[in-house]
Amino acid sequence: MELKALRVTRESGGDPVRATLDSSEKAVRALLDAQGDPTVYVLRNGALRHLTPFENIVVNRGTKHARKGLSDYLLGHKRVPLIRGSYTDSGQMLRSVRRLLDNAPGKERKAHETECTVYIVGADARVFEELWDKARTTVPEITSATAVRTRSTEAGRATTPPAGLHPPLLDLLEDQDVPADLAGQFIGNSPAAQLVRKLIMRAAKVDEPVLIIGDTGTGKEIVARSIHDYGERRAERFIAVNCGGIPRDLFESELFGHEKGAFTHALARKVGLWKVAGPGTLFLDEIGDMPLNQQAKILRALQENVIRPVGAKVEIEVEARIIAATNRDLYAMVQAGQFRDDLYYRFRSFVIWTPRLRAYPDDIRPLAQHFWEGITGDKQETLPEAVLRELQTYSWPGNARELRAVLNHLHSLFSGKSMGVEHLNAVFQLQGQVAQLAVSEPAPPSLIDVREVEYGRHLRRVDDAIRACRVTLEPVADATLGIDAELLAGVRAEVQRRLYELDGLCDPRLFTSEAAFLAVHELKGKLAYFETLLEADSSSAQRHWKLEMAHELDSAQSTIDEEIQLLREDR
């Protein structure tokens, strides 16, 4: 039987690749015999039952505990280790798998060492499907033709450019001049970074829609702004819109505008962002999150340069140049019926791929130095060579955004000191990135203590924020005869302040478990919805408080209190 699987290797940059895994005993043994570089196969938890009977080949490690890493369970076995995952978030699972790969022995191990470097990890159906939707569909090389068959596809399906793309295109675009200051905006010396800069200048000369594809933190908005700044529309407005951040029922109104009275609470006429952009540039970020029922209207606006505001009887002309971006595999979404194929191909008239940082480690050095100069405010300030080398060993799942966050943390903690690798590793420990320490070398007690102190401090801040939310909402809970306008405005302002505070605290690396992070993340979403109810109808907000909001606060606070208690007991 062929099992649907995701294959994750160092070679793939730590990104999952769609594959199938043959569940026969012969095929699994071939997988063990053919092992080379560390490889993780992610399957649905339910599919693991097809492999556990092979006790002479597979060692069943049970169910993963939320407080332990995969390395604790899967490293050091002669047979193929298998574990049932307990993840509730696909991003957290992928980070855990990448840490396992970082800690696993590679090709350099000695011939007499027989530790298995093939690992099988289970995931529940929802988490698996989320990873499958985001996964690549091609892989450069297959290590075992007997056990694994990668699902290949036509060119253009993957969210990364085909291998070998950069040198030929660079040669073909040799005549494309690139201003020197652009290298200070989209930074990197790799062929991929050079190609992005050349394509920016080429895109700036045309008026077709541009699609920018790349992981989060790879500089997609920088590319979009650069296209605008170097084009003929540079004197006009640049408006960025996050398609995933607009409530679905307000999406059309935000982009196209609405007439007064077009719907409940449409108290005045509103000009949509497409029109507001004028003859400038409208940047549609995360178009993969665009509601399916709005995509036909977006396509018509692209083709005809006209829009119809909600409630309007006539269409109006628009002039904005459209640039879109996504970190999702739009082709896979088209195949799944989640994205219109005609809109997909309209956007693909000009494509730019922003490279993953881990695929081009040589770009980490100039980018880190650029960030460091900005953080310190001193162009003469340089990072120590040992720190730069250490930065290049990390896979950077958050790309440039994560790199900058780490350097900010490094400066906040240790500015004014002579920095070394130990300071950088301390920052990684504080942020929960244990991959920086080899699995065979346990973290120094001092770093463990520092990390636990940081976790505890963060959890207490979260606890304080949740308690402050309750105090903020007490006027809503206590009001029995309605809320006057002045009080309502004050409550809304406080709710927005608490939302901003929770958003700053919602970093999964600073929580002791996925459950704690998800509790706060979900509370933030509920609070955002409650804030919209306060704006629309205070009586609805009061009903929602009684039915859900009070319970959400209790649940989140209970989860955080339990985590704080567990942390105390561990000490």
Side-chain angles (χ1 to χ4, degrees):
M1 177 186 297
E2 288 190 348
L3 305 176
K4 194 175 178 181
L6 291 165
R7 181 170 178 266
V8 189
T9 64
R10 291 172 180 169
E11 178 188 48
S12 68
D15 294 326
V17 178
R18 297 180 185 182
T20 57
L21 185 65
D22 192 324
S23 64
S24 69
E25 183 172 359
K26 179 180 178 181
V28 177
R29 184 176 293 280
L31 189 67
L32 177 62
D33 295 340
Q35 64 178 303
D37 270 354
T39 303
V40 178
Y41 293 101
V42 179
L43 284 73
R44 290 189 182 90
N45 278 327
L48 299 180
R49 69 179 186 275
H50 298 290
L51 305 177
T52 51
F54 310 142
E55 294 181 355
N56 58 331
I57 307 171
V58 175
V59 53
N60 187 355
R61 300 291 289 138
T63 300
K64 179 185 175 299
H65 190 282
R67 298 285 295 277
K68 291 186 177 181
L70 288 174
S71 299
D72 296 331
Y73 289 96
L74 303 182
L75 295 181
H77 297 279
K78 296 183 179 181
R79 291 173 288 163
V80 178
L82 172 152
I83 191 166
R84 181 183 178 87
S86 58
Y87 299 94
T88 57
D89 178 79
S90 60
Q92 180 66 23
M93 178 176 189
L94 193 53
R95 287 191 290 273
S96 186
V97 167
R98 286 170 177 161
R99 291 186 188 122
L100 171 64
L101 288 173
D102 285 339
N103 291 332
K107 286 181 179 178
E108 69 280 359
R109 59 186 179 153
K110 298 177 182 179
H112 68 271
E113 293 176 338
T114 57
E115 178 180 346
C116 180
T117 56
V118 176
Y119 314 97
I120 297 176
V121 180
D124 69 34
R126 181 186 62 81
V127 170
F128 182 89
E129 289 303 327
E130 286 180 5
L131 288 171
W132 182 269
D133 287 343
K134 299 175 184 177
R136 288 170 49 185
T137 51
T138 58
V139 66
E141 182 181 349
I142 302 173
T143 57
S144 174
T146 305
V148 182
R149 289 187 289 279
T150 300
R151 299 190 175 202
S152 61
T153 181
E154 63 183 270
R157 278 189 68 171
T159 56
T160 53
L165 170 72
H166 306 114
L169 259 180
L170 281 173
D171 291 341
L172 292 171
L173 294 173
E174 187 177 4
D175 61 335
Q176 180 63 65
D177 293 330
V178 176
D181 59 345
L182 181 54
Q185 297 174 43
F186 194 89
I187 297 168
N189 302 322
S190 67
Q194 294 178 47
L195 178 58
V196 168
R197 291 195 290 267
K198 285 183 177 287
L199 290 174
I200 286 172
M201 298 309 300
R202 183 68 70 180
K205 294 181 179 180
V206 299
D207 238 14
E208 285 295 302
V210 175
L211 176 61
I212 306 167
I213 304 174
D215 281 5
T216 181
T218 53
K220 296 188 291 294
E221 185 166 346
I222 292 175
V223 172
R225 286 185 179 274
S226 297
I227 292 171
H228 173 81
D229 291 342
Y230 288 102
E232 294 182 356
R233 300 173 185 252
R234 65 178 69 90
E236 307 296 339
R237 302 183 72 170
F238 177 93
I239 294 181
V241 180
N242 187 325
C243 295
I246 304 175
R248 289 178 175 266
D249 55 347
L250 297 179
F251 188 85
E252 186 175 357
S253 171
E254 285 294 312
L255 282 190
F256 298 158
H258 64 249
E259 297 296 322
K260 180 179 179 180
F263 50 84
T264 306
H265 307 299
L267 304 179
R269 180 175 180 271
K270 176 179 179 177
V271 179
L273 295 175
W274 206 307
K275 185 67 176 178
V276 171
T281 299
L282 180 64
F283 174 49
L284 300 176
D285 198 8
E286 303 305 344
I287 58 165
D289 296 330
M290 184 185 296
L292 185 61
N293 63 349
Q294 299 295 334
Q295 292 176 17
K297 296 172 183 177
I298 298 293
L299 178 63
R300 174 167 171 74
L302 282 171
Q303 293 177 333
E304 306 296 334
N305 289 320
V306 294
I307 60 174
R308 187 193 296 273
V310 179
K313 296 181 179 179
V314 297
E315 296 178 327
I316 59 175
E317 293 186 356
V318 287
E319 306 173 70
R321 195 260 179 94
I322 305 300
I323 301 175
T326 184
N327 63 2
R328 303 179 68 178
D329 186 344
L330 291 186
Y331 186 91
M333 293 181 67
V334 169
Q335 300 305 106
Q338 298 171 340
F339 202 88
R340 289 178 63 101
D341 57 352
D342 46 8
L343 182 58
Y344 167 70
Y345 287 111
R346 184 73 179 99
F347 273 130
R348 281 188 66 93
S349 58
F350 196 118
V351 179
I352 299 176
W353 282 281
T354 52
R356 296 179 174 96
L357 196 55
R358 59 184 169 274
Y360 300 96
D362 287 345
D363 283 345
I364 294 172
R365 182 178 292 263
L367 192 59
Q369 188 55 49
H370 170 77
F371 286 152
W372 193 246
E373 291 173 3
I375 291 167
T376 62
D378 184 358
K379 291 190 175 182
Q380 305 302 315
E381 184 78 20
T382 59
L383 282 164
E385 179 64 25
V387 171
L388 287 170
R389 286 197 304 268
E390 191 72 8
L391 289 171
Q392 288 180 289
T393 68
Y394 183 57
S395 62
W396 300 108
N399 294 291
R401 185 177 291 119
E402 184 183 8
L403 173 61
R404 182 164 193 160
V406 167
L407 292 175
N408 264 315
H409 205 166
L410 183 67
H411 183 260
S412 298
L413 289 175
F414 303 117
S415 61
K417 296 184 178 181
S418 178
M419 292 185 193
V421 172
E422 66 276 13
H423 297 94
L424 178 63
N425 281 336
V427 170
F428 276 112
Q429 289 292 311
L430 289 172
Q431 295 190 343
Q433 304 293 4
V434 298
Q436 292 305 112
L437 296 173
V439 69
S440 59
E441 300 175 6
S446 59
L447 286 183
I448 294 175
D449 292 343
V450 169
R451 184 173 59 184
E452 289 184 349
V453 167
E454 183 74 6
Y455 281 151
R457 183 183 297 120
H458 185 74
L459 287 171
R460 285 191 293 273
R461 288 179 62 198
V462 171
D463 186 63
D464 289 343
I466 295 174
R467 293 178 188 278
C469 286
R470 186 178 296 280
V471 173
T472 295
L473 297 176
E474 279 178 356
V476 178
D478 295 339
T480 55
L481 300 176
I483 309 175
D484 64 63
E486 184 177 351
L487 176 60
L488 183 62
V491 171
R492 283 193 60 219
E494 281 298 304
V495 169
Q496 290 169 355
R497 179 183 170 191
R498 300 307 170 197
L499 273 170
Y500 182 81
E501 184 177 15
L502 284 174
D503 190 56
L505 294 169
C506 232
D507 185 339
R509 296 169 298 185
L510 294 178
F511 285 85
T512 48
S513 73
E514 294 173 76
F517 166 73
L518 288 174
V520 179
H521 183 74
E522 290 172 6
L523 175 64
K524 187 180 69 169
K526 295 284 186 181
L527 194 62
Y529 175 68
F530 188 75
E531 195 270 334
T532 63
L533 288 181
L534 283 172
E535 180 181 12
D537 182 3
S538 60
S539 60
S540 295
Q542 286 179 295
R543 287 194 298 271
H544 185 70
W545 166 267
K546 294 177 181 178
L547 292 173
E548 290 192 41
M549 202 64 224
H551 171 72
E552 289 294 332
L553 283 167
D554 289 341
S555 177
Q557 191 156 13
S558 175
T559 301
I560 296 303
D561 287 345
E562 288 177 7
E563 293 297 318
I564 291 174
Q565 185 60 35
L566 283 172
L567 197 61
R568 287 172 179 164
E569 292 173 358
D570 286 347
R571 290 181 187 177

